[in-house]
Amino acid sequence: MHPPLERCRRCGGETSFEEVSRIGRVHSWIRVDRASVPGFEVPYYIVIVELVEQPGVRIACVVGDDDPLGREPVIGDEVRLSVDQLPGGDFSAPTAQLQEVGNE
């Protein structure tokens, strides 16, 4: 859940941090054609990724510049997540790399 909370919004139980696999699937995506963030060359893609081990948990990510597939995302594509420093500043953000079929 984001933002992190001490208690669950649904049941009131305590929450904790747990490491996840960083593997997910593209749930939705958009192509950005107008520069709005310094350091990103257009076009670039923003994907909503659903974590494989926690269905329903989704995170917005930028598709990394060094994407090996060099194509638009497709709903259902497997991605590997990381947190990378954004170009042109001191900020970090979740980044997704599209994975080839069968690549773990």
Side-chain angles (χ1 to χ4, degrees):
M1 79 184 72
H2 191 78
L5 301 171
E6 285 184 26
R7 301 271 176 200
C8 175
R9 291 182 180 139
R10 292 186 182 145
C11 71
E14 289 188 30
T15 62
S16 63
F17 291 100
E18 293 182 25
E19 191 167 332
V20 296
S21 68
R22 297 183 297 158
I23 301 295
R25 298 222 176 265
V26 173
H27 177 77
S28 182
W29 63 273
I30 61 168
R31 176 181 158 142
V32 178
D33 288 310
R34 183 179 297 173
S36 61
V37 178
F40 285 104
E41 291 186 31
V42 292
Y44 63 92
Y45 301 96
I46 303 291
V47 292
I48 303 297
V49 174
E50 184 167 81
L51 299 177
V52 294
E53 68 266 27
Q54 290 183 304
V57 175
R58 298 180 185 136
I59 186 166
C61 306
V62 175
V63 174
D65 287 340
D66 56 347
D67 174 46
L69 301 184
R71 64 167 172 76
E72 288 185 341
V74 174
I75 291 175
D77 273 350
E78 184 175 289
V79 296
R80 177 170 294 278
L81 303 173
S82 60
V83 176
D84 299 315
Q85 188 165 354
L86 295 175
D90 294 328
F91 301 100
S92 296
T95 304
Q97 295 296 327
L98 299 175
Q99 301 295 297
E100 293 186 43
V101 175
N103 190 11
E104 298 295 323

